[in-house]
Amino acid sequence: MPEPALDGRAMVGVVVAGWDSDRPLRRGISRTWARKLPVMTGLCLAPISSPPTSRVPPVIFFMSAAFFAQGFMQLGWAALSDIAPAGLMGLAGDTFSFAAKLGGTLAPIVIGVIIDSTGSMAGGLVYVAAPSVGGFLAYSFLIDQVERLDA
């Protein structure tokens, strides 16, 4: 499957996550849960991108679901904009973006080293799934309230 189609599924996930996050706010549910729940859902579903099969239809299904879930994780930008002090929004956004870009830069290097040393992609898949697990734990235990911080 060509990559743009998979990116399209992530785009749909971003739109659905935004809608899914704003809907509870209109019903009076706290901003904390309206922002955290979609991100945490995406973090739970994103690691399913590698089914234990080489058959094409299940691989396409699982990859599509993982890209869709990745779109849900992008709602972290909304949570960031709700939390960051107004005077530090640029710094907060740049730091958030830097961390994501650093992970994307290191991933092919680390995965290459893992494959070279083990001869298997299994460790690389664990490496790719680990940030989702860490992110889920961080959203669960480190982010208590989604509310603006004072600078």
Side-chain angles (χ1 to χ4, degrees):
M1 175 169 263
E3 191 171 328
L6 292 175
D7 287 345
R9 285 172 182 82
M11 181 194 68
V12 171
V14 169
V15 172
V16 170
W19 173 80
D20 194 44
S21 176
D22 288 341
R23 192 170 43 104
L25 287 174
R26 288 191 295 271
R27 291 190 330 210
I29 293 175
S30 76
R31 182 171 304 277
T32 298
W33 284 109
R35 296 295 190 236
K36 284 177 61 170
L37 199 54
V39 174
M40 292 171 70
T41 300
L43 288 165
C44 283
L45 297 176
I48 68 170
S49 64
S50 304
T53 182
S54 60
R55 293 185 47 235
V56 174
V59 169
I60 290 173
F61 171 79
F62 282 101
M63 289 292 291
S64 297
F67 275 91
F68 181 81
Q70 181 195 25
F72 269 63
M73 291 186 296
Q74 298 305 312
L75 195 63
W77 282 100
L80 175 71
S81 69
D82 290 336
I83 293 173
L88 298 174
M89 191 66 66
L91 177 63
D94 286 347
T95 303
F96 195 75
S97 185
F98 172 77
K101 302 295 188 240
L102 182 61
T105 301
L106 293 177
I109 297 167
V110 172
I111 291 172
V113 169
I114 290 170
I115 293 171
D116 278 348
S117 63
T118 65
S120 170
M121 183 61 184
L125 294 175
V126 170
Y127 173 78
V128 170
S132 290
V133 174
F136 181 84
L137 293 172
Y139 268 86
S140 297
F141 299 112
L142 298 178
I143 300 176
D144 185 36
Q145 295 291 320
V146 174
E147 57 189 30
R148 177 102 33 231
L149 297 173
D150 294 326

